[in-house]
Each structure stands twice: as structure tokens, then as C-alpha cells.
Amino acid sequence: MTEVATDGWFWVGTALCAVSLVICVVMTFIRTFPDDFSILSVAAVELFLVVYGVGAIFRQGGGEPLQGELWEFWGYVLTALVVSLVAVVWAVTDKTRWSNLVMAAVGPTIFVMLYRLQVIWFG
């Protein structure tokens, strides 16, 4: 297995995803409704993804090339944005304890997508 280069974006995103996962799992056991902390933790992941996307635009505009396909990279970015939005919408409409668990799935899902984005960027 080849080692994938990682950068600060990856490590910040990983930390946010891990914190969001822990918060959402804990709130699943503590609350019987979607907790504000869970929603805010997923919103923090979403905000990170927006900043990541803007940063990627500047990096690509500055001449830093992708090692993979452009469409694949932006497909992952857009899909990651949609995943976290869908989880929050689910939580707001479902209003049960399990909404927190649905939001907990955002952290590991986005982590895997960030790793894949690193593979596409650095090869």
C-alpha cells in the first residue's frame, strides 16, 4: 500500500469529524431529541467543507495541480456538502434520539471522503 500525502486541511478535517462523531454519539445516549450540540458539530463540518472548497479553488487557480480527475475531486466535495446537509435536515424533521445517530454518521463519512480527496489531489 502506498502512503498518501496529507496536509493541514486533512488533519483539521479529521479532527472536526472525530469531534462531531463523539458529540453526536454521546447525545444519542443522553437526549431523546436532536441536540443542538449535534447539529452545531455537523454545521462545523459543513463550514469546514465550504472553506475547504474555497481553498481548493484558490489552490487550483494558483497552479497547484490535481493528480486525479477534476470532475471526481469536485464530485466528492459537492457530495460531502450534501451529506452533511441531508443529515441536519433529517435531524430537524425526525425529532427522535436516532437523529443524533444519523448525524454521527457524518463524521466518519466525511473523513473517508477527505481521505479520498487527498488521494485525488496528491496521487
Side-chain angles (χ1 to χ4, degrees), residues 4 16 31 41 46:
V4 175
L16 278 172
R31 302 278 189 241
S41 73
E46 181 77 9

Side-chain angles (χ1 to χ4, degrees), residues 21-96:
L21 171 65
V22 169
I23 289 171
C24 292
V25 168
V26 168
M27 291 306 152
T28 300
F29 292 107
I30 294 176
R31 302 278 189 241
T32 58
F33 54 88
D35 190 75
D36 290 344
F37 289 115
S38 295
I39 293 170
L40 289 173
S41 73
V42 173
V45 172
E46 181 77 9
L47 179 61
F48 167 77
L49 289 169
V50 169
V51 172
Y52 182 91
V54 171
I57 289 170
F58 282 107
R59 287 168 69 183
Q60 288 177 2
E64 195 173 328
L66 293 174
Q67 299 302 313
E69 297 292 332
L70 183 68
W71 65 266
E72 186 178 16
F73 180 84
W74 288 105
Y76 270 96
V77 171
L78 293 175
T79 302
L81 287 166
V82 169
V83 164
S84 37
L85 282 177
V86 167
V88 170
V89 169
W90 180 317
V92 170
T93 59
D94 187 18
K95 303 279 188 206
T96 66

